[in-house]
Amino acid sequence: MSTVQTEPVFRARSISKVYRMGEVDVTALRGVDLDLYAGELAVFLGASGSGKSTLLNILGGLDVPSGGQVYYREREMTGADEADRTGFRRRSVGFVFQFYNLIPSLTALENVELVTEIAEDPMTAEDALGLVGLQPRMHHFPAQMSGGEQQRVAIARAIAKRPEVLLCDEPTGALDYTTGKRVLEVIEKVNSTLGTTTAVITHNAAIADMADRVIRLRSGEIVEVYANKAKKRPDELSW
Amino acid sequence: MTILNRKVFRELGRMRGQVIAITLVMACGIMLYVSSRHTYISLLKSQESYYASYRFADVFAGIKRAPASTAEEIAGIPGISRVRTRIVMDVNLDVPGLDEPATGRLVSMPERRRPVLNDVAIQEGRYPAVGRPEEVIISEAFAKANGLAPDDWIGAVINGRQKALRVVGIGLSPEYVYEVQGTGSIFPDNLRFGVIWMARDALGAAFDMEGGFNDLSVALSSEAREMDVIDRMDLILEPYGSTGAYGRDSQISHRFLMDEIIGLSVSSNFTPAVFLGIAALLLHIVFSRMVRAQRDQIAIMKAFGYNNLSIGWHYLKFAFLAISGGTLLGIVGGFLLGRPLTALYQDYYRFPDLVYELNYDVIALAAIISVSAAFLGTLHALRSAMSLPPAEAMRPDSPAHFRPLAMERLGVHQLLTPVWRMIFRNMERKPVKTLLSAFGIAMAVAILVMGRFTFDSIEYLIDYQFRTVQRDDAAVVFAGPRPARARFELSHLPGVVRSEPYRAVPVRLRSGHRMKQTSINGLDPAGELRQLIDRDGQTQSLPPEGVVLTRTLADLLAVREGDMVAVEVLEGSRMQGRLPVSLLVDELIGISAYMDNRALNRFLGEGSTISGAYLSVDPLRADALYATLKETPAVAGVAVREAVIKGFEDSIAESTSATTFTLTVFACIIACGMVYNGARIALEERNREMASLRVLGFTEREISVVLLGEQAIVTLMAIPIGFLIGWGLCYLAVDATAQELYRMPLVITGKTYAFAFLVVGAAAVVSAYVVHRQLRHLDMIGVLKIQE
Ligand SMILES: Nc1ncnc2c1ncn2[C@@H]1O[C@H](COP(=O)(O)OP(=O)(O)O)[C@@H](O)[C@H]1O
Ligand SMILES: [Mg+2]
């Protein structure tokens, strides 16, 4: 994907997030402005606690900011209620987390079907698993698969409904080097073949080289945004 | 407070919903135990002190008429410490305000008050004055039912003459704790039967029995053997027309009271055991889950040097604290509930005072039982907590392992949506847990079935006994055997549609060493008002020869059709002979024997004689008929069917509703406790799944299907199991309470099953709703951040 700017999918304007922890307030985000563009692969970099997850959760409708506005396309998300946000997640967002969060009682195929069943225009669950290279193992339960394989099922589950955005929070955090790279390849493939706007959170700077754009956070603020001139393929990365 | 103790309290607070469920179930069990045990002890003690204070006799005998000198002979029998002779007569009464005839049992009392056997406890008024033959004491139940008080008058037909009696006192007697007339009617009908104590001289003069007596009661010394005394008494009394001496066991009031007390003793252990079992089950489910969830904490404590014992003690403290509230509530509530429960018995078992006091043994036992239940319930959890090696525990619980199971093999999974597959696989993966939960709910269903079964059973019993077997509207008893033509006098009375004579003879039946005292009822073979029904519900015709026994009587004598029984007649000729058992019939009340009346007359070597008649009555003229019968001296008593049924229903209805209500409330608590806990634990164990589904865009309603679907299936599964267990409990209850006097039929109607279904269903829905509301607080992000 080129870095040529298409129209923004998300627009965040001076969003802040404060967690109340009893007496003390923890500020996770302080006035973040951000645009995410259709089709791009953005990597969010930052130390632990810098506010990456908070930002992504707000974009994906899992959480609400304490201040500021978020627009998804033309719609303002900030005023949406829980039911609206549920519908938004259902239609438009795919999530991938560090811990795969598969349903242990469902097979790989069924974990994906869980989503295709409630989506409007999904691909078939088999195709989704094919895309992540797991069709041969689709009848296996999570406990019968390796961590990397489970994460790929989680990705298949996230993209099966053809979401407009794919949000990945430390998708390789729990994986070893080789499996981690395999998972990144899958994410890259989804982004390039389906054109899904993709955001990947990591604290591993090496991964940033596969992004169209890199957004760096520190203490709840965006401190740097840059476009990669020569984006690397995941197999070219090393750390 | 130590840190560990602080942990205990904080976590108990967090689990308060579950702790409340455990508390309530525990409280129910302990409350039932403490209250029914207190009631049992109260009745037993009240009986003991009543019998002692008013000198209840040990052996009784009815005689036709014996001279006073016989009493001295009896007193000479070794083992007899006291003798009392009396005149006892059943007469027709004319009670103001009562249309039907009532029966009064006149019992003679000494002229001047002195302590005698079977004494009267005066509750109100006074003892009759000397030289005042019209003054009487009447029994309390009879007085209450008819609204009689001292200074009221009642009419009595005494030896054919109408007499007016003046009530001066209201009394009770240990002989009539349960006040019924006798073998014919075993349910109290206090409106139409009462005991009347009057001065001996007046009674003796009225029945021409001055100096003589027709009733004997004796007290035994402690070393006496009852059987020997009875034999010796029979020998002496035989010439005077004795119907056979008998011990307290056959004394109807004592017998009923003992049956009740023994039944209470059984149920006071049985039902609470069920509840405590459920409490233990609940603890087991909750604590197994808790220890599983706290594996890492246990590991860290162990790594820091806590030993297994202190870890075990830590979790045991949880259990003890969790049950302590319920136990305390149960003990206090049980003691308070026991008093009104005991008072309920007072409606048909009458004591001058009920001894109801705190029994420390019961309290101590209740505490021991609840601690044992807690220990039993947490045993499994304790064992797994203590056996956990610290290193092992630091690793997360082995991941939930799912394999293709029965559902996949059967191919049914293809019919299900992924959400329902999740539900079924979760249940299949933990079959023991699923079954235990189902079992708990099934017990609630079973308790409901058991609670309402009493209604069904009694309804059936009344219908069977009073509409199928006994079809007469009224049974007339003559003062003594009459020639057969007396029946025509009856059938000509206005209002009598049909009359069928019968001949009743008191007998002793023997087979081998087994003996039973009853009466043989000689029936009109063409009669329709008494039906002989066999085990299959088929009407059998009266065999022309031999004796027909009810199955209970046959079992007591250990005889079958075709066997011979020895018959000893206890009146008139007092002849002895043998009769073949020609048929067995099934009746729910009493231990009756029947014969063709012609065969009976032949056996007795008498002409056609009758003891009374069964009547079919024109309802429009019934009142007039009963009024006439009341005035007829030859008629000793009339048992009006509807009155008998009503008396029975009234006396049983109140206590039954009270028990059913209590059991229903308790069963609801159990059902709520089980469903709520199941759903809560599912929520805790699977909040990660729930959160994942929410992230994927499932709505709250959709994920509550995942959570509560399992509870719904478990509940639905539990209901038929509960029906079965309920049936089993009823079977046991019927078996345990089978008495000579009546037997509860094992009949459970669809209404009862529907009732149990609806109550448990409603309880499940309510608890599910409570948990459903807790789904709102599900922390999606928080859950997903944590390592599985
Ligand atoms: N639920 C929460 N309650 C309180 N503080 C939180 C919560 N979630 C995150 N925080 C705080 O907000 C800050 C940002 O957290 P997060 O967005 O998770 O950072 P990152 O993902 O970059 O590691 C941290 O200081 C964290 O402690
Ligand atoms: Mg994070």
Side-chain angles (χ1 to χ4, degrees), chain B residues 538-553:
Chain B
Q538 298 297 315
T539 304
Q540 295 290 329
S541 53
L542 184 63
E545 297 297 332
V547 62
V548 178
L549 304 183
T550 52
R551 199 167 297 280
T552 321
L553 179 54

Side-chain angles (χ1 to χ4, degrees), chain A residues 19-21 26-29 46-55 169-170 201, chain B residues 779 781-782 785:
Chain A
Y19 290 108
R20 274 217 84 103
M21 302 270 291
V26 178
T27 307
L29 294 175
S48 173
S50 55
K52 309 180 296 287
S53 298
T54 306
L55 179 57
D169 192 343
E170 311 241 12
I201 286 182
Chain B
D779 176 8
I781 307 164
K785 270 204 300 220

Side-chain angles (χ1 to χ4, degrees), chain B residues 248-262:
Chain B
R248 280 185 181 180
D249 258 6
S250 303
Q251 204 271 347
I252 192 154
S253 161
H254 177 80
R255 179 78 213 211
F256 252 94
L257 185 54
M258 273 331 276
D259 279 351
E260 190 71 51
I261 290 176
I262 290 165

Side-chain angles (χ1 to χ4, degrees), chain A residues 57 62-63 82 86 89-90 95 97 99 101 103-106 110 113-115 117-118 141 143 161, chain B residues 400 402-404 418 421-422 425 688-689 692-695 697-699 702 780-781 784-787:
Chain A
N57 290 342
L62 278 180
D63 208 347
E82 176 54 39
T86 303
R89 291 199 302 269
R90 194 171 182 138
F95 280 102
F97 294 98
F99 308 110
N101 292 314
I103 308 293
S105 57
L106 296 179
E110 289 164 347
E113 282 174 343
L114 198 59
V115 169
E117 209 164 65
I118 60 168
F141 284 94
K161 63 180 161 200
Chain B
F402 284 87
R403 285 168 294 107
R421 281 182 220 173
M422 285 170 68
R425 287 200 187 121
R688 183 175 210 91
E689 281 179 30
S692 298
L693 291 175
R694 289 287 282 134
V695 168
F698 280 74
T699 60
E702 284 165 334
M780 279 182 269
I781 307 164
L784 296 178
K785 270 204 300 220
I786 310 162
Q787 168 100 45

Side-chain angles (χ1 to χ4, degrees), chain A residues 21-162:
Chain A
M21 302 270 291
E23 296 295 289
V24 289
D25 287 348
V26 178
T27 307
L29 294 175
R30 33 189 116 225
V32 170
D33 292 310
L34 173 76
D35 290 340
L36 274 190
Y37 299 100
E40 76 167 330
L41 195 162
V43 166
F44 289 72
L45 264 183
S48 173
S50 55
K52 309 180 296 287
S53 298
T54 306
L55 179 57
L56 209 70
N57 290 342
I58 290 173
L59 293 180
L62 278 180
D63 208 347
V64 286
S66 316
Q69 293 88 40
V70 180
Y71 298 90
Y72 173 74
R73 299 280 181 205
E74 293 315 310
R75 263 188 71 209
E76 179 167 358
M77 292 295 300
T78 332
D81 64 9
E82 176 54 39
D84 288 339
R85 280 185 279 121
T86 303
F88 169 60
R89 291 199 302 269
R90 194 171 182 138
R91 280 187 311 276
S92 313
V93 191
F95 280 102
V96 175
F97 294 98
Q98 176 177 3
F99 308 110
Y100 333 113
N101 292 314
L102 297 179
I103 308 293
S105 57
L106 296 179
T107 61
L109 184 69
E110 289 164 347
N111 260 286
V112 180
E113 282 174 343
L114 198 59
V115 169
T116 56
E117 209 164 65
I118 60 168
E120 270 160 27
D121 175 31
M123 60 180 89
T124 66
E126 286 85 352
D127 287 348
L129 284 168
L131 212 62
V132 300
L134 273 182
Q135 222 171 6
R137 309 213 51 184
M138 64 185 186
H139 290 305
H140 288 199
F141 284 94
Q144 297 166 311
M145 290 189 278
S146 72
E149 287 167 335
Q150 288 185 54
Q151 191 61 300
R152 277 147 64 198
V153 175
I155 295 170
R157 185 175 67 176
I159 57 154
K161 63 180 161 200
R162 304 180 202 277

Side-chain angles (χ1 to χ4, degrees), chain A residues 205-228:
Chain A
I207 292 175
D209 290 347
M210 67 180 277
D212 294 311
R213 265 193 327 147
V214 179
I215 296 141
R216 190 185 288 278
L217 281 94
R218 185 185 302 143
S219 307
E221 285 172 317
I222 295 182
V223 290
E224 185 188 4
V225 180
Y226 65 89
N228 266 330

